Coordinates of all heavy atoms in Angstrom, one line a residue:
M1 N 86.8 253.2 13.8 CA 86.5 252.0 14.5 C 85.2 251.5 14.2 O 85.0 250.3 14.0 CB 86.7 252.3 16.0 CG 86.6 251.1 16.9 SD 87.3 251.4 18.5 CE 85.8 252.0 19.3
T2 N 84.2 252.4 14.1 CA 82.8 251.9 13.8 C 82.0 253.1 13.2 O 82.3 254.2 13.4 CB 82.1 251.4 15.0 OG1 80.8 251.0 14.7 CG2 82.0 252.4 16.1
D3 N 81.0 252.7 12.4 CA 80.1 253.7 11.8 C 79.0 254.1 12.8 O 78.3 255.1 12.6 CB 79.5 253.2 10.5 CG 80.5 253.0 9.4 OD1 81.5 253.8 9.4 OD2 80.3 252.2 8.5
D4 N 78.9 253.4 13.9 CA 77.9 253.8 14.9 C 78.7 254.3 16.2 O 79.3 253.6 16.9 CB 77.1 252.5 15.3 CG 76.0 252.8 16.3 OD1 76.1 253.8 17.1 OD2 75.0 252.0 16.3
S5 N 78.6 255.6 16.4 CA 79.4 256.2 17.5 C 78.9 255.7 18.9 O 79.8 255.6 19.8 CB 79.3 257.8 17.4 OG 77.9 258.2 17.6
D6 N 77.7 255.3 19.0 CA 77.2 254.8 20.3 C 77.9 253.4 20.6 O 78.4 253.2 21.7 CB 75.7 254.6 20.4 CG 75.0 256.0 20.4 OD1 75.6 257.0 20.8 OD2 73.8 256.0 20.0
V7 N 78.0 252.6 19.6 CA 78.7 251.3 19.7 C 80.2 251.5 20.0 O 80.8 250.9 20.9 CB 78.5 250.4 18.4 CG1 79.4 249.2 18.5 CG2 77.1 250.0 18.3
G8 N 80.8 252.5 19.3 CA 82.2 252.8 19.5 C 82.4 253.3 21.0 O 83.4 252.8 21.6
E9 N 81.6 254.1 21.5 CA 81.8 254.6 22.9 C 81.6 253.4 23.8 O 82.4 253.4 24.8 CB 80.8 255.7 23.2 CG 81.0 257.0 22.5 CD 82.3 257.7 22.9 OE1 82.9 257.4 24.0 OE2 82.8 258.5 22.2
H10 N 80.7 252.5 23.6 CA 80.6 251.4 24.5 C 81.8 250.5 24.5 O 82.3 250.0 25.5 CB 79.3 250.6 24.1 CG 79.0 249.4 25.0 ND1 78.6 249.6 26.3 CD2 79.1 248.1 24.8 CE1 78.4 248.5 26.9 NE2 78.7 247.5 26.0
I11 N 82.4 250.3 23.3 CA 83.6 249.5 23.2 C 84.7 250.2 23.9 O 85.5 249.6 24.7 CB 84.0 249.3 21.7 CG1 83.0 248.4 21.0 CG2 85.4 248.8 21.6 CD1 83.1 248.4 19.5
L12 N 84.8 251.5 23.8 CA 85.9 252.3 24.5 C 85.7 252.3 26.0 O 86.7 252.3 26.7 CB 86.0 253.7 24.0 CG 86.5 253.8 22.5 CD1 86.3 255.3 22.1 CD2 87.9 253.4 22.4
E13 N 84.5 252.2 26.5 CA 84.3 252.0 27.9 C 84.9 250.8 28.5 O 85.3 250.7 29.6 CB 82.8 252.0 28.2 CG 82.1 253.3 28.1 CD 80.6 253.2 28.3 OE1 80.1 252.2 28.7 OE2 79.9 254.2 27.9
V14 N 85.0 249.8 27.7 CA 85.6 248.5 28.1 C 87.1 248.6 27.8 O 88.0 248.1 28.6 CB 85.0 247.3 27.3 CG1 85.7 246.0 27.6 CG2 83.5 247.2 27.7
L15 N 87.5 249.0 26.6 CA 88.9 249.0 26.2 C 89.8 249.9 26.9 O 90.9 249.5 27.3 CB 89.0 249.3 24.7 CG 90.3 249.3 24.0 CD1 91.0 247.9 24.2 CD2 90.3 249.7 22.6
E16 N 89.4 251.2 27.2 CA 90.3 252.1 27.8 C 90.8 251.7 29.2 O 92.0 251.8 29.5 CB 89.7 253.5 27.8 CG 89.7 254.2 26.5 CD 89.1 255.6 26.5 OE1 88.4 256.0 27.5 OE2 89.3 256.4 25.6
P17 N 89.9 251.3 30.1 CA 90.4 250.8 31.4 C 91.3 249.7 31.3 O 92.3 249.6 32.1 CB 89.1 250.4 32.1 CG 88.0 251.2 31.5 CD 88.4 251.3 30.0
L18 N 91.1 248.8 30.3 CA 92.1 247.7 30.2 C 93.5 248.2 29.8 O 94.5 247.7 30.3 CB 91.5 246.7 29.1 CG 90.3 245.9 29.5 CD1 89.8 245.1 28.3 CD2 90.7 244.9 30.7
L19 N 93.5 249.1 28.8 CA 94.8 249.6 28.4 C 95.5 250.3 29.5 O 96.7 250.2 29.8 CB 94.6 250.6 27.2 CG 94.3 250.0 25.9 CD1 93.9 251.1 24.9 CD2 95.5 249.2 25.4
R20 N 94.7 251.1 30.2 CA 95.3 252.0 31.3 C 95.7 251.1 32.5 O 96.6 251.5 33.3 CB 94.4 253.1 31.7 CG 94.2 254.0 30.5 CD 93.5 255.3 30.9 NE 93.2 256.1 29.7 CZ 94.0 256.6 28.9 NH1 95.3 256.6 29.1 NH2 93.6 257.3 27.8
S21 N 95.1 250.0 32.7 CA 95.4 249.2 33.9 C 96.7 248.4 33.7 O 97.3 247.9 34.7 CB 94.3 248.2 34.2 OG 94.1 247.2 33.2
C22 N 97.2 248.3 32.5 CA 98.4 247.5 32.3 C 99.6 248.4 32.6 O 99.9 249.4 32.0 CB 98.5 247.1 30.8 SG 100.0 246.1 30.5
T23 N 100.3 248.0 33.7 CA 101.5 248.8 34.1 C 102.7 248.7 33.2 O 103.6 249.5 33.3 CB 101.9 248.4 35.5 OG1 102.2 247.0 35.5 CG2 100.7 248.7 36.5
S24 N 102.6 247.8 32.3 CA 103.7 247.7 31.3 C 103.6 248.6 30.1 O 104.5 248.7 29.3 CB 103.9 246.2 30.8 OG 104.2 245.4 31.9
L25 N 102.4 249.3 30.0 CA 102.2 250.2 28.9 C 102.0 251.6 29.3 O 101.5 251.9 30.4 CB 100.9 249.7 28.1 CG 100.9 248.4 27.5 CD1 99.6 248.1 26.9 CD2 102.0 248.2 26.5
V26 N 102.4 252.5 28.5 CA 102.1 253.9 28.6 C 101.1 254.3 27.5 O 101.4 254.1 26.3 CB 103.4 254.8 28.5 CG1 103.0 256.3 28.6 CG2 104.4 254.4 29.5
V27 N 99.9 254.8 27.9 CA 98.9 255.0 26.9 C 98.5 256.5 26.9 O 98.3 257.1 28.0 CB 97.6 254.2 27.3 CG1 96.5 254.4 26.2 CG2 97.9 252.7 27.4
S28 N 98.5 257.1 25.7 CA 98.2 258.5 25.6 C 96.7 258.7 25.7 O 95.9 257.8 25.8 CB 98.6 259.1 24.3 OG 97.8 258.6 23.2
E29 N 96.3 260.0 25.8 CA 94.9 260.3 25.7 C 94.4 260.0 24.3 O 95.2 260.0 23.4 CB 94.6 261.8 26.1 CG 94.9 262.1 27.5 CD 94.1 261.4 28.5 OE1 92.8 261.2 28.3 OE2 94.6 260.9 29.5
R30 N 93.2 259.7 24.2 CA 92.7 259.4 22.8 C 92.5 260.6 22.0 O 92.3 261.7 22.5 CB 91.4 258.6 22.9 CG 90.1 259.4 23.1 CD 88.9 258.5 23.1 NE 87.7 259.3 23.0 CZ 86.5 258.8 23.2 NH1 86.4 257.6 23.6 NH2 85.5 259.6 23.1
T31 N 92.7 260.4 20.7 CA 92.5 261.5 19.7 C 91.4 261.1 18.8 O 91.4 260.0 18.2 CB 93.8 261.7 18.9 OG1 94.8 262.0 19.7 CG2 93.6 262.8 17.8
N32 N 90.3 261.9 18.8 CA 89.2 261.6 17.9 C 89.5 262.0 16.5 O 90.0 263.1 16.3 CB 87.9 262.3 18.4 CG 87.4 261.7 19.7 OD1 87.7 260.6 20.0 ND2 86.7 262.6 20.4
L33 N 89.3 261.2 15.5 CA 89.5 261.5 14.1 C 88.2 261.8 13.4 O 87.2 261.2 13.8 CB 90.2 260.3 13.4 CG 91.5 259.8 14.0 CD1 91.9 258.5 13.3 CD2 92.5 260.8 14.0
N34 N 88.3 262.7 12.4 CA 87.1 263.0 11.7 C 86.8 261.9 10.7 O 87.7 261.2 10.2 CB 87.3 264.3 10.9 CG 87.4 265.5 11.7 OD1 86.8 265.6 12.8 ND2 88.1 266.5 11.3
H35 N 85.5 261.6 10.6 CA 85.1 260.5 9.7 C 83.8 261.0 8.9 O 82.8 261.4 9.5 CB 84.7 259.3 10.5 CG 84.3 258.1 9.7 ND1 85.0 257.5 8.7 CD2 83.1 257.4 9.7 CE1 84.4 256.5 8.2 NE2 83.2 256.4 8.8
R36 N 83.9 260.9 7.6 CA 82.8 261.3 6.8 C 81.6 260.4 7.1 O 81.7 259.2 7.3 CB 83.1 261.1 5.3 CG 83.9 262.3 4.8 CD 84.0 262.1 3.3 NE 84.9 261.0 3.1 CZ 85.1 260.4 1.9 NH1 84.5 260.8 0.9 NH2 85.9 259.4 1.8
G37 N 80.4 261.0 7.3 CA 79.2 260.2 7.5 C 79.0 259.8 9.0 O 78.2 259.0 9.3
G38 N 79.8 260.5 9.9 CA 79.6 260.2 11.3 C 80.4 259.0 11.7 O 81.5 258.7 11.2
G39 N 80.0 258.3 12.7 CA 80.7 257.2 13.3 C 81.8 257.7 14.3 O 81.8 258.8 14.7
L40 N 82.7 256.7 14.6 CA 83.7 257.0 15.6 C 85.0 256.4 15.2 O 85.1 255.2 14.9 CB 83.3 256.5 17.0 CG 84.2 256.7 18.1 CD1 84.3 258.2 18.4 CD2 83.8 256.0 19.3
R41 N 86.1 257.2 15.1 CA 87.4 256.8 14.8 C 88.3 257.4 15.9 O 88.3 258.7 16.1 CB 87.9 257.2 13.4 CG 87.0 256.7 12.3 CD 87.2 255.2 12.0 NE 86.5 254.8 10.9 CZ 85.3 254.3 10.9 NH1 84.6 254.3 12.0 NH2 84.8 253.8 9.8
V42 N 89.1 256.7 16.6 CA 90.0 257.2 17.6 C 91.4 256.6 17.4 O 91.5 255.5 16.8 CB 89.5 256.9 19.0 CG1 88.2 257.6 19.2 CG2 89.4 255.5 19.3
T43 N 92.4 257.3 17.9 CA 93.8 256.7 17.9 C 94.3 256.9 19.3 O 93.9 257.8 20.1 CB 94.7 257.4 16.9 OG1 94.8 258.8 17.2 CG2 94.2 257.2 15.5
Y44 N 95.3 256.1 19.7 CA 96.0 256.2 20.9 C 97.5 256.0 20.6 O 97.8 255.2 19.6 CB 95.7 255.1 21.9 CG 94.3 255.1 22.4 CD1 93.2 254.5 21.7 CD2 94.0 255.8 23.6 CE1 91.9 254.5 22.2 CE2 92.7 255.8 24.1 CZ 91.7 255.2 23.4 OH 90.4 255.3 23.8
E45 N 98.4 256.6 21.3 CA 99.8 256.2 21.2 C 100.0 255.3 22.4 O 99.8 255.6 23.5 CB 100.7 257.5 21.4 CG 102.1 257.1 21.2 CD 103.0 258.4 21.2 OE1 102.5 259.5 21.4 OE2 104.2 258.2 21.0
V46 N 100.5 254.1 22.1 CA 100.7 253.1 23.1 C 102.2 252.7 23.0 O 102.7 252.3 22.0 CB 99.8 251.8 22.9 CG1 100.1 250.8 23.9 CG2 98.4 252.2 22.8
M47 N 102.9 252.8 24.1 CA 104.3 252.5 24.2 C 104.6 251.6 25.4 O 103.8 251.6 26.3 CB 105.2 253.8 24.3 CG 105.0 254.7 23.2 SD 106.0 256.2 23.3 CE 105.3 257.0 24.8
L48 N 105.7 250.9 25.3 CA 106.1 250.0 26.4 C 106.7 250.9 27.5 O 107.4 251.9 27.2 CB 107.2 249.1 25.9 CG 107.4 247.8 26.7 CD1 106.2 247.0 26.8 CD2 108.5 247.0 26.1
N49 N 106.3 250.7 28.7 CA 106.8 251.4 29.8 C 108.3 251.2 30.0 O 108.7 250.0 29.9 CB 106.0 251.0 31.1 CG 106.2 252.0 32.2 OD1 106.9 252.9 32.2 ND2 105.4 251.7 33.3
P50 N 109.1 252.2 30.2 CA 110.5 252.0 30.4 C 110.8 251.0 31.5 O 110.2 251.1 32.6 CB 111.1 253.4 30.7 CG 110.1 254.3 30.2 CD 108.8 253.6 30.3
G51 N 111.6 250.0 31.2 CA 111.9 249.0 32.2 C 111.0 247.8 32.2 O 111.3 246.7 32.7
A52 N 109.9 247.9 31.5 CA 109.0 246.7 31.3 C 109.6 245.7 30.4 O 110.1 246.0 29.3 CB 107.6 247.2 30.8
T53 N 109.6 244.5 30.8 CA 110.2 243.4 30.0 C 109.1 242.4 29.6 O 109.2 241.7 28.5 CB 111.3 242.7 30.6 OG1 110.9 242.2 31.9 CG2 112.5 243.7 30.8
T54 N 108.1 242.1 30.4 CA 107.1 241.1 30.2 C 105.8 241.6 30.6 O 105.7 242.5 31.5 CB 107.4 239.8 30.9 OG1 107.5 240.0 32.3 CG2 108.7 239.2 30.4
V55 N 104.8 241.0 30.1 CA 103.4 241.3 30.5 C 102.8 240.0 30.9 O 102.8 239.0 30.2 CB 102.6 241.9 29.4 CG1 101.1 242.1 29.8 CG2 103.2 243.2 29.0
H56 N 102.2 239.9 32.1 CA 101.6 238.7 32.6 C 100.1 238.9 32.7 O 99.6 239.9 33.1 CB 102.1 238.4 34.1 CG 103.6 238.1 34.1 ND1 104.1 236.9 33.7 CD2 104.6 238.9 34.5 CE1 105.4 236.9 33.9 NE2 105.7 238.1 34.4
V57 N 99.4 237.9 32.2 CA 98.0 237.9 32.2 C 97.5 236.8 33.2 O 97.9 235.7 33.1 CB 97.4 237.5 30.8 CG1 95.8 237.5 30.9 CG2 97.8 238.6 29.8
D58 N 96.8 237.2 34.3 CA 96.4 236.4 35.4 C 95.2 235.6 35.1 O 94.9 234.6 35.8 CB 96.3 237.2 36.7 CG 97.6 237.8 37.1 OD1 98.7 237.2 36.8 OD2 97.6 238.9 37.7
Q59 N 94.4 235.9 34.2 CA 93.1 235.3 34.0 C 92.7 235.2 32.5 O 93.0 236.1 31.8 CB 92.0 236.1 34.7 CG 90.7 235.5 34.7 CD 89.7 236.3 35.6 OE1 90.1 237.3 36.2 NE2 88.4 236.0 35.5
E60 N 92.2 234.1 32.1 CA 91.7 233.9 30.8 C 90.3 234.5 30.7 O 89.5 234.2 31.6 CB 91.7 232.4 30.4 CG 91.3 232.2 29.0 CD 91.4 230.7 28.6 OE1 92.3 230.0 29.1 OE2 90.5 230.3 27.9
V61 N 90.0 235.2 29.6 CA 88.7 235.8 29.5 C 88.2 235.4 28.1 O 88.8 235.4 27.1 CB 88.9 237.4 29.5 CG1 87.5 238.0 29.2 CG2 89.4 237.8 30.8
T62 N 86.9 235.0 28.1 CA 86.2 234.7 26.9 C 85.1 235.7 26.7 O 84.3 235.9 27.6 CB 85.6 233.3 27.0 OG1 86.7 232.3 27.2 CG2 84.9 232.9 25.7
V63 N 85.0 236.2 25.5 CA 84.0 237.2 25.2 C 83.2 236.7 24.0 O 83.7 236.3 23.0 CB 84.6 238.6 24.8 CG1 83.5 239.5 24.4 CG2 85.4 239.1 26.0
E64 N 81.8 236.6 24.2 CA 81.0 236.2 23.1 C 80.0 237.3 22.8 O 79.4 237.9 23.7 CB 80.2 234.9 23.5 CG 81.2 233.7 23.7 CD 80.4 232.4 24.0 OE1 79.2 232.4 23.7 OE2 81.1 231.5 24.5
R65 N 79.7 237.5 21.5 CA 78.7 238.5 21.1 C 77.4 237.9 21.3 O 77.1 236.8 20.9 CB 79.0 238.9 19.7 CG 80.3 239.7 19.5 CD 80.5 240.0 18.1 NE 79.3 240.6 17.5 CZ 79.3 241.4 16.4 NH1 80.4 241.6 15.8 NH2 78.2 241.8 15.9
A66 N 76.4 238.7 21.8 CA 75.1 238.2 21.9 C 74.4 238.1 20.5 O 73.5 237.2 20.3 CB 74.2 239.2 22.7
D67 N 74.9 238.8 19.5 CA 74.3 238.7 18.2 C 75.1 237.9 17.3 O 74.8 237.9 16.1 CB 74.1 240.1 17.6 CG 75.4 240.8 17.4 OD1 76.4 240.4 18.0 OD2 75.5 241.8 16.7
A68 N 76.0 237.1 17.8 CA 76.8 236.2 16.9 C 76.0 235.1 16.4 O 75.1 234.6 17.1 CB 78.0 235.7 17.7
P69 N 76.3 234.6 15.2 CA 75.5 233.5 14.6 C 75.8 232.2 15.5 O 76.9 232.1 16.0 CB 76.0 233.4 13.2 CG 77.3 234.1 13.2 CD 77.3 235.1 14.3
R70 N 74.8 231.4 15.6 CA 74.9 230.2 16.3 C 75.9 229.3 15.6 O 75.9 229.2 14.4 CB 73.6 229.5 16.5 CG 72.7 230.2 17.4 CD 71.4 229.4 17.6 NE 70.8 229.9 18.7 CZ 70.2 229.1 19.6 NH1 70.1 227.9 19.4 NH2 69.6 229.7 20.7
R71 N 76.7 228.6 16.4 CA 77.6 227.6 15.8 C 77.0 226.3 15.6 O 76.2 225.9 16.4 CB 78.9 227.4 16.7 CG 79.7 228.7 16.8 CD 80.9 228.3 17.7 NE 81.6 229.6 17.9 CZ 82.6 229.6 18.8 NH1 83.0 228.6 19.5 NH2 83.3 230.7 19.0
R72 N 77.3 225.7 14.5 CA 76.7 224.3 14.3 C 77.5 223.4 15.1 O 78.7 223.5 15.3 CB 76.9 223.9 12.8 CG 76.0 224.8 11.9 CD 76.0 224.2 10.5 NE 77.3 223.8 10.0 CZ 77.5 223.4 8.8 NH1 76.5 223.4 7.9 NH2 78.7 223.0 8.4
P73 N 76.8 222.4 15.7 CA 77.5 221.4 16.6 C 78.5 220.6 15.7 O 78.2 220.3 14.5 CB 76.5 220.6 17.2 CG 75.2 220.8 16.4 CD 75.4 222.2 15.7
S74 N 79.7 220.3 16.2 CA 80.6 219.5 15.5 C 80.2 218.1 15.5 O 79.5 217.6 16.3 CB 82.0 219.7 16.0 OG 82.0 219.2 17.3
R75 N 80.6 217.4 14.5 CA 80.2 216.0 14.4 C 81.5 215.2 14.3 O 82.5 215.7 13.8 CB 79.3 215.7 13.2 CG 79.9 216.1 11.9 CD 78.9 215.8 10.8 NE 79.5 216.3 9.5 CZ 79.0 216.3 8.4 NH1 77.8 215.8 8.3 NH2 79.5 216.7 7.3
P76 N 81.5 213.9 14.6 CA 82.7 213.1 14.6 C 83.2 212.9 13.1 O 82.3 212.9 12.2 CB 82.3 211.7 15.2 CG 80.8 211.7 15.3 CD 80.4 213.2 15.2
A77 N 84.4 212.8 12.9 CA 85.0 212.6 11.6 C 84.5 211.3 11.0 O 84.3 210.3 11.7 CB 86.5 212.7 11.6
L78 N 84.4 211.3 9.7 CA 84.1 210.1 9.0 C 85.3 209.1 9.0 O 86.4 209.6 9.0 CB 83.6 210.4 7.5 CG 82.4 211.2 7.4 CD1 82.2 211.6 6.0 CD2 81.2 210.5 7.9
P79 N 85.0 207.8 8.9 CA 86.2 206.9 8.9 C 86.9 207.1 7.6 O 86.4 207.5 6.5 CB 85.5 205.5 9.0 CG 84.1 205.7 8.7 CD 83.8 207.1 9.0
R80 N 88.2 206.8 7.6 CA 89.1 207.0 6.4 C 88.7 205.9 5.4 O 88.5 204.7 5.8 CB 90.5 206.8 6.8 CG 91.0 208.0 7.6 CD 92.5 207.9 7.9 NE 93.2 208.0 6.7 CZ 94.5 207.7 6.6 NH1 95.2 207.3 7.6 NH2 95.1 207.8 5.4
A81 N 88.7 206.3 4.2 CA 88.5 205.3 3.1 C 89.8 204.6 2.8 O 90.9 205.1 3.0 CB 88.0 206.0 1.9
G82 N 89.7 203.4 2.3 CA 90.9 202.7 1.9 C 90.9 201.3 2.5 O 89.9 200.7 2.8
R83 N 92.1 200.8 2.7 CA 92.3 199.4 3.2 C 91.8 199.2 4.6 O 91.9 200.1 5.4 CB 93.8 199.1 3.1 CG 94.4 199.1 1.7 CD 95.9 198.7 1.8 NE 96.6 199.7 2.5 CZ 97.8 199.4 3.1 NH1 98.3 198.2 3.0 NH2 98.4 200.3 3.7
T84 N 91.4 198.0 4.8 CA 91.0 197.6 6.2 C 92.1 196.7 6.7 O 92.8 196.1 6.0 CB 89.7 196.9 6.2 OG1 89.7 195.8 5.4 CG2 88.6 197.8 5.7
L85 N 92.1 196.5 8.0 CA 93.1 195.6 8.7 C 92.7 194.2 8.7 O 93.5 193.3 9.0 CB 93.4 196.1 10.1 CG 94.0 197.5 10.2 CD1 94.2 197.9 11.6 CD2 95.4 197.6 9.4
D86 N 91.4 193.9 8.4 CA 90.9 192.5 8.4 C 91.4 191.8 7.2 O 91.4 192.3 6.1 CB 89.4 192.5 8.4 CG 88.8 193.1 9.7 OD1 89.5 193.1 10.8 OD2 87.7 193.6 9.6
P87 N 91.9 190.5 7.4 CA 92.4 189.7 6.2 C 91.3 189.3 5.3 O 90.2 189.1 5.5 CB 93.1 188.5 6.8 CG 92.7 188.5 8.3 CD 92.1 189.8 8.6

């Protein structure tokens, strides 16, 4: 998942409760994988809960990284080249 095990653990602190809170999924315990040079690699077995047919999300969530590059503001499109409607 990442070469920085501290970052990986922080991600898992957010991800694991989300996975486990979904009643439509059955989530195994995590398995740590060996990775040359350190870091963190994990796997989960995730299956659909018997009888589950749909998953409903009640809230939209937006996540932005604090270290993400700034977005350039969009500008209006240029007018199309070509014929004009004036005679």
Side-chain angles (χ1 to χ4, degrees):
M1 189 163 87
T2 179
D3 290 333
D4 185 334
S5 60
D6 291 335
V7 169
E9 288 295 340
H10 185 69
I11 291 169
L12 291 173
E13 287 174 10
V14 174
L15 181 61
E16 284 182 343
L18 290 173
L19 283 171
R20 297 193 189 290
S21 69
C22 181
T23 58
S24 296
L25 298 175
V26 177
V27 181
S28 72
E29 293 299 316
R30 83 180 193 193
T31 301
N32 293 336
L33 304 176
N34 292 330
H35 179 59
R36 280 185 291 167
L40 181 65
R41 302 286 187 269
V42 298
T43 62
Y44 295 88
E45 183 175 5
V46 180
M47 298 182 296
L48 201 59
N49 198 354
T53 56
T54 59
V55 175
H56 297 282
V57 178
D58 295 328
Q59 184 175 354
E60 183 177 324
V61 176
T62 302
V63 177
E64 294 184 21
R65 291 178 49 159
D67 63 345
R70 291 183 160 220
R71 294 183 185 171
R72 293 189 319 185
S74 62
R75 59 182 176 179
L78 296 172
R80 292 183 63 191
R83 295 182 297 155
T84 61
L85 298 176
D86 295 333

